[in-house]
């Protein structure tokens, strides 16, 4: 079976974990600090704050920006649920804006119409590893005085006009095992703002500036040194991993037929967390089943847009976001991870093209 995702763990990660176990410092300690410093440098930002997951990083980021009950937060309906749920965690309301059908990312041209006096932030999601169109998003945020919290959970190392995602507003990353680099579980917040960085650290640590003196409500959203040791070893390989993903994506785009391959605007560096095609004519699920028979893993990210999830229906969401809904019917992600071999790539292309020919898609 060719899996849709596979973490690449080498001797460096194993050795780093053993060193932590031997050190006796198992919770947040010097490895977390080293991981934060290295990640901030990679992103080109002044501060990075490690957390227990991408979800807790989003939660902290919203709290650090003072977002709470009565506030509205604009985001995409076509993303992982955490991009919107973080607003619910703090008592705010996610407001959805439809996606650009070519990039699958928030359509900046539709954002202004969704802004109300309650809007406090925009959460652009760099879906599949492709940066959002950040210039118009930052312009709108500035015009209306909104915070920008970039959900870069799928986009480690991606760039917009040569600048790293996570450095435009407050950035949020995930190190879940399917991501471009992993720490097992884990997350990171990036920022150039010293006040936001300080708030994030305090919220992560039960609202304490000084041990056992709690100034505000906080959480235990810390990363452990064991996870940080894995993350740090992986971070050294990020560029190489991303280059392999990009080479695999190039091969797939050159050879696949009958499906719509990913669009990469010329001003963006896509890091291909996912290689996602559109399958026309209602044949997506049939292609997925066909690939499964051939031993090729694939996945639908995401089969149901957030506004149509039961949780959101029960919260009263009844809007229509036609491009998000169409994407949910048509997208299929194919393996693109760095563990693929040339024969894996050939097998993926042969299977997709055979299906496309059989079904008259070519
Ligand atoms: C776009 C997006 N946002 C948020 C998250 C949440 O990250 P985590 O799973 O580390 O909590 C993920 C990943 O799972 C994601 O893909």
């Amino acid at each position: 079976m060719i899996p849709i995702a596979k973490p690449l763990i080498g001797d460096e990660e194993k050795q780093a974990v053993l060193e932590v176990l031997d050190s006796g410092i198992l919770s947040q300690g010097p490895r977390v600090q080293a991981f934060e410093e290295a990640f901030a440098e990679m992103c080109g930002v002044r501060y990075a704050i490690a957390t227990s997951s991408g979800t807790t990083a989003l939660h902290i980021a919203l709290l650090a920006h003072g977002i709470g009950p009565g506030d509205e937060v604009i985001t995409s309906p076509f993303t992982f649920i955490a991009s919107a749920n973080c607003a619910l965690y703090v008592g705010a309301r996610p407001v959805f804006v439809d996606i650009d059908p070519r990039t699958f990312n928030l359509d900046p041209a539709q954002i202004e119409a969704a802004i109300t006096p309650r809007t406090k932030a925009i959460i652009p999601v760099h879906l599949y590893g492709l940066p959002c169109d950040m210039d118009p998003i930052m312009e709108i945020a500035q015009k209306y005085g909104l915070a920008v919290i970039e959900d870069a959970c799928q986009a480690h190392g991606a760039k917009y006009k040569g600048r790293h995602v996570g450095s435009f507003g407050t950035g949020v990353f995930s190190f879940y095992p399917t991501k471009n680099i992993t720490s097992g579980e884990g997350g990171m917040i990036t920022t150039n703002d010293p006040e936001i960085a300080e708030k994030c650290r305090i919220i992560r640590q039960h609202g304490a500036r000084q041990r056992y003196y709690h100034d505000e409500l906080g959480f235990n959203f810390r990363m452990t040194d064991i996870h940080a040791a894995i993350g740090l070893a992986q971070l050294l390989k990020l560029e190489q991993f991303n280059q392999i993903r990009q080479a695999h994506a190039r091969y797939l785009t050159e050879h696949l037929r009958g499906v719509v391959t990913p669009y990469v605007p010329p001003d963006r560096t896509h890091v291909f967390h996912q290689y996602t095609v559109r399958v026309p004519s209602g044949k997506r699920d049939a292609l997925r089943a066909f690939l499964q028979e051939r031993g090729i893993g694939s996945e639908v990210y995401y089969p149901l847009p957030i506004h149509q999830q039961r949780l959101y229906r029960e919260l009263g969401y009844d809007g229509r976001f036609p491009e998000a809904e169409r994407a949910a019917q048509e997208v299929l992600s194919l393996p693109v991870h760095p563990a693929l071999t040339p024969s894996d790539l050939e097998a993926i292309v042969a299977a997709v093209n055979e299906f496309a020919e059989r079904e008259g898609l070519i």
Side-chain angles (χ1 to χ4, degrees), residues 51-58 78-84 125-128 151-155 172-179 184-187 273 301-302:
T51 63
S52 52
S53 71
T55 303
T56 56
L58 280 166
F78 189 62
T79 170
F80 184 59
I81 194 86
S83 311
V125 184
H126 308 301
L127 200 72
Y128 305 144
D151 183 338
C153 283
Q154 304 189 358
V172 170
F173 295 81
S174 162
F175 304 113
Y176 186 74
T178 56
K179 300 296 194 273
E185 293 271 9
H273 169 58
Y301 302 107
Y302 294 90

Side-chain angles (χ1 to χ4, degrees), residues 205-283:
Q205 178 75 0
H206 274 299
R209 284 173 178 79
Q210 192 186 341
R211 209 162 192 202
Y212 303 128
Y213 291 86
H214 304 277
D215 302 329
E216 57 192 83
L217 185 65
F219 302 86
N220 172 1
F221 285 162
R222 295 184 302 264
M223 179 183 277
T224 74
D225 257 27
I226 304 169
H227 294 91
I230 303 170
L232 198 48
Q234 288 265 296
L235 184 57
L236 297 176
K237 305 175 184 177
L238 174 62
E239 206 171 307
Q240 180 202 349
F241 284 170
N242 281 348
Q243 280 171 7
I244 300 171
R245 283 177 181 273
Q246 287 157 347
H248 290 169
R250 259 196 311 278
Y251 179 89
L252 292 171
T253 294
E254 273 167 26
H255 292 89
L256 289 175
R257 299 175 65 207
V259 294
V260 182
T261 54
Y263 167 64
V264 186
D267 56 2
R268 276 161 250 192
T269 309
H270 194 324
V271 292
F272 289 100
H273 169 58
Q274 298 297 344
Y275 182 92
T276 303
V277 299
R278 272 187 198 267
V279 188
S281 318
K283 308 258 188 215

Side-chain angles (χ1 to χ4, degrees), residues 100-155:
D100 173 339
R102 288 184 83 188
T103 62
F104 300 108
N105 282 335
L106 209 52
D107 181 356
Q110 298 187 49
I111 292 176
E112 276 194 274
I115 292 175
T116 75
R118 291 168 180 262
T119 309
K120 287 283 158 28
I122 306 173
I123 305 183
V125 184
H126 308 301
L127 200 72
Y128 305 144
L130 176 69
C132 291
D133 192 1
M134 290 310 292
D135 279 352
I137 291 173
M138 296 310 289
E139 252 172 56
I140 293 166
Q142 206 152 30
K143 181 170 163 192
Y144 292 91
L146 309 177
V148 174
I149 298 169
E150 301 174 63
D151 183 338
C153 283
Q154 304 189 358

